[in-house]
Amino acid sequence: MDLQFGLAMVLGIGPALILMYVILRNYTYPRVEQPFFSDPAFFGLFMVGLVIGSVLFFALTAMRLGGGLIYMILLAIIEMMAMVVVMNLRRFRGKSDSVFYGYGLGLGMAAGMSTGFCYVLASSVESVDASIITMVIIAVSLTMIIGACATNVGEGVARHRVMEYTLQGMLLLVAFNMLFTVVLNAGVIGGELMYYVCQFAMLVLSAVYFHRIMMVKLPGIVREVLKMEGKKRNDLGR
């Protein structure tokens, strides 16, 4: 394992693990006696997402990485439909824990893609130190936006309104990927100023969306789906 790949793995998977802990700690043991989801199922979907994210990255590479806006918009659509294919299985429909499993799937996809993007960037510059901030922004932004979008899909599956919630996430992911296109084509689209502006915009867009879905809405989403199931939990949203 070379240094660039090791760094890419740390930057790609690290944010996913951190955000996994930050969000899930309030919904599993020891914060609650009865976890809101199954750990084996969650990590199973995380691994599925890791494979899907890696495959999508290699597919994009085959189409000439960062080759243009059309590719990145198409990538956003394919990402969202991949989430739907995995999450729209009968075992997940109408279940409150599907929201969490969507999150796990999204974190895995983000980790797989972030690792690939960070490795390409680290391998294409003379000094890794000069690009470390960009790699961190890419990894953190991808993890937040894809994690939140997949949670949207999980909510749609839980509510039996899959495409409605999928389209909500897709609009945000398409907007994010349009900004990402400028970053991937550094110095080609919009010049150096736009390169940095788009990095900042990526980070802000993903952070605002992640905060809204995962920190503001999540307790209410789980509570409403539990109500649909005829269940009630008094330990939600601690």
Side-chain angles (χ1 to χ4, degrees), residues 190-204:
E192 186 175 357
L193 177 60
M194 284 299 297
Y195 171 69
Y196 291 110
V197 168
C198 287
Q199 284 188 49
F200 178 74
M202 281 170 53
L203 190 59
V204 171

Side-chain angles (χ1 to χ4, degrees), residues 25-184:
R25 61 181 176 173
N26 292 325
Y27 300 94
T28 190
Y29 187 83
R31 290 287 180 92
V32 294
E33 293 184 5
Q34 183 181 356
F36 285 82
F37 59 92
S38 165
D39 287 344
F42 181 90
F43 284 103
L45 282 163
F46 178 81
M47 296 306 297
V48 170
L50 196 62
V51 172
I52 292 174
S54 300
V55 170
L56 288 177
F57 170 77
F58 285 118
L60 187 62
T61 303
M63 295 188 297
R64 297 181 181 178
L65 180 62
L69 185 60
I70 298 300
Y71 285 142
M72 295 303 290
I73 292 175
L74 180 61
L75 175 64
I77 296 171
I78 293 173
E79 286 174 288
M80 295 302 299
M81 296 315 298
M83 297 172 195
V84 171
V85 168
V86 174
M87 290 303 304
N88 201 29
L89 298 174
R90 181 175 297 178
R91 60 176 296 190
F92 297 127
R93 295 175 193 166
K95 305 291 181 62
S96 61
D97 52 1
S98 297
V99 180
F100 298 100
Y101 298 145
Y103 184 51
L105 177 68
L107 290 182
M109 290 175 63
M113 297 188 70
S114 297
T115 300
F117 283 121
C118 289
Y119 179 67
V120 168
L121 184 57
S123 302
S124 62
V125 295
E126 295 182 3
S127 172
V128 173
D129 294 341
S131 61
I132 191 71
I133 294 177
T134 297
M135 287 190 284
V136 170
I137 289 174
I138 288 173
V140 172
S141 298
L142 276 173
T143 303
M144 289 193 293
I145 195 77
I146 296 178
C149 285
T151 304
N152 250 146
V153 173
E155 180 183 357
V157 170
R159 294 180 184 275
H160 299 288
R161 292 155 60 186
V162 182
M163 293 314 299
E164 175 186 342
Y165 284 86
T166 299
L167 288 173
Q168 291 178 19
M170 189 180 296
L171 290 174
L172 270 294
L173 194 55
V174 166
F176 177 89
N177 277 11
M178 290 172 69
L179 297 169
F180 197 16
T181 303
V182 179
V183 175
L184 291 176

Side-chain angles (χ1 to χ4, degrees), residues 209-228:
Y209 184 52
F210 184 87
H211 180 267
R212 178 174 178 270
I213 298 297
M214 306 307 305
M215 296 182 177
V216 176
K217 293 185 62 179
L218 184 59
I221 292 168
V222 177
R223 189 178 290 110
E224 289 173 16
V225 178
L226 283 170
K227 186 177 181 180
M228 285 171 47

